[in-house]
Amino acid sequence: MRGRRKLIPIAAAVSLSLLLHVLLLTGFDIELAKLQALSDPPPIEARLVRVEPAPPPPRAIRRTPPEPAPAVPPPPQVEAEPEPVEAAAPEFPDEAPVDQQAPVDAPAVAEQPPAETVTVVPLNRLPDRVEIIYEIRYGWASGQQTLNWIAADGRYTITSVAGATGLTRMLYDGQLIQTSQGRVTASGLQPEAFWDQRGKKRSSGRFDFENRSLAVARGDSVKTLPLPDDAQDSQSLLFHFALHAPSLDADGYHVFDGRKLRPYYFVLRGEETLDTPLGPLKTLHLERAQAPEDRRFEVWLAVDLHYLPVRVLRPEEGGMDGEVVIRSISYPR
């Protein structure tokens, strides 16, 4: 009996460690001449017209010399007779009188190439409000995550609350709370602020895309990191996927999880049908590429549920998989 009592604290410590891994699952450590078609300007055609010489007017009119015309190919050589040349006014060898000036076709204006157009793939439309409840599994330990999405007036808020359930809750009753806020742009989500609270530990990040900087606060310390244009946080990333699906192959992002900004590169593995508590769901399977075994990350987006995430899998050391699976989804008004 005494031997068995000594094993109880050890089992509790192991369970507590496993639970911490569960709660960290939702804070996914996600790292992501031309030739101008200018036509040659058409040559300017100059024609020499033979005119009868006329006496110069009593008073020559001086005109402001025109702007130099663009260089044009020389006209075909035509043997000019001397009389028209001698009829040019001697006072102004570079000009002919107004009524004797040979007609010249107006120079053609070179056509400008059409402005380069950038094809913008329209984003999927998400409901203004969504609430998803997930079941968290890690070995024998269990938990629950509630994910809320709210969008209005070009802005969004995502809130995730995860905690232990069942017997696991007897060992650890803390919660992992993450919140992401930012803008919904033509290119997807652009986070502005992210908060992460793990029990009593708190951290946050402020995204400044204009100055390309990320201010990370942990406790009393604040540091600034370079901010790439493709930056997301661990909550905004999955909804960013939902907006862009199914055009998701070979996408790269830098993902902030409240502690670090890591690069993630995703590839599309194809379509799969998953058995879930909601029934069979047709999904798109994305996987993090070129990642160590203990840093793998996979996500399944439900085609008929606005491409929202219905399963997330992250294998952990020791052979066990941390898994998040959808249990219910609703659209509050």
Side-chain angles (χ1 to χ4, degrees):
M1 290 297 293
R2 290 183 179 178
R4 293 182 180 178
R5 291 178 181 176
K6 290 182 180 180
L7 291 176
I8 293 177
I10 297 175
V14 172
S15 300
L16 180 57
S17 174
L18 291 173
L19 178 61
L20 290 176
H21 280 79
V22 172
L23 295 177
L24 290 176
L25 288 176
T26 56
F28 313 114
D29 291 334
I30 314 174
E31 311 187 3
L32 10 199
K34 175 181 181 183
L35 292 177
Q36 274 189 322
L38 284 174
S39 303
D40 289 334
I44 297 175
E45 181 182 357
R47 292 178 297 171
L48 295 179
V49 179
R50 178 172 182 152
V51 296
E52 294 298 328
R59 185 177 180 181
I61 301 174
R62 180 185 297 270
R63 300 184 304 130
T64 303
E67 293 293 332
V72 298
Q77 292 185 355
V78 177
E79 187 174 348
E81 298 189 12
E83 290 184 358
V85 176
E86 294 175 358
E91 295 86 357
F92 308 102
D94 294 334
E95 292 187 41
V98 174
D99 57 353
Q100 294 182 3
Q101 192 169 12
V104 178
D105 291 341
V109 179
E111 294 183 3
Q112 295 296 326
E116 183 177 355
T117 57
V118 178
T119 303
V120 178
V121 178
L123 301 178
N124 298 322
R125 178 174 176 79
L126 295 180
D128 293 339
R129 298 176 67 94
V130 181
E131 181 178 272
I132 309 176
I133 297 178
Y134 298 93
E135 180 181 354
I136 302 173
R137 305 167 183 167
Y138 184 80
W140 60 268
S142 64
Q144 177 177 295
Q145 176 189 7
T146 301
L147 189 63
N148 282 279
W149 157 270
I150 300 175
D153 301 325
R155 299 191 60 80
Y156 77 88
T157 299
I158 304 170
T159 303
S160 169
V161 179
T165 59
L167 294 176
T168 312
R169 192 171 182 178
M170 298 176 61
L171 301 174
Y172 186 81
D173 60 356
Q175 291 182 322
L176 168 62
I177 303 174
Q178 293 183 328
T179 301
S180 172
Q181 291 183 345
R183 300 170 55 232
V184 181
T185 72
S187 58
L189 298 188
Q190 187 178 82
E192 294 177 343
F194 179 80
W195 296 271
D196 176 281
Q197 180 174 345
R198 304 166 187 249
K200 296 181 179 180
K201 297 181 179 180
R202 299 182 181 183
S203 61
S204 64
R206 295 283 180 176
F207 296 74
D208 186 348
F209 285 94
E210 183 176 354
N211 295 310
R212 304 176 65 84
S213 65
L214 172 64
V216 180
R218 298 186 66 186
D220 296 330
S221 67
V222 178
K223 63 179 179 180
T224 302
L225 303 176
L227 183 65
D229 292 335
D230 61 6
Q232 296 288 331
D233 60 57
S234 58
Q235 293 301 327
S236 68
L237 178 67
L238 299 182
F239 285 88
H240 186 80
F241 283 165
L243 289 172
H244 283 277
S247 303
L248 292 170
D249 195 23
D251 279 358
Y253 302 92
H254 285 76
V255 183
F256 179 64
D257 64 354
R259 296 169 297 174
K260 295 181 179 181
L261 188 66
R262 294 185 172 95
Y264 270 58
Y265 185 79
F266 290 91
V267 293
L268 182 62
R269 294 305 185 192
E271 293 188 356
E272 295 180 16
T273 298
L274 290 183
D275 290 327
T276 73
L278 303 182
L281 293 176
K282 181 181 178 181
T283 66
L284 294 182
H285 180 195
L286 289 172
E287 183 178 7
R288 183 185 178 192
Q290 304 173 357
E293 186 65 23
D294 61 343
R295 290 286 183 179
R296 286 174 51 216
F297 181 85
E298 298 177 72
V299 59
W300 286 258
L301 309 175
V303 175
D304 297 324
L305 295 178
H306 307 282
Y307 292 101
L308 292 168
V310 294
R311 185 188 186 208
V312 177
L313 180 65
R314 182 189 170 195
E316 298 289 344
E317 293 182 4
M320 288 190 293
D321 292 340
E323 184 181 26
V324 177
V325 179
I326 191 171
R327 197 171 74 187
S328 68
I329 183 170
S330 59
Y331 308 96
R333 295 184 178 274

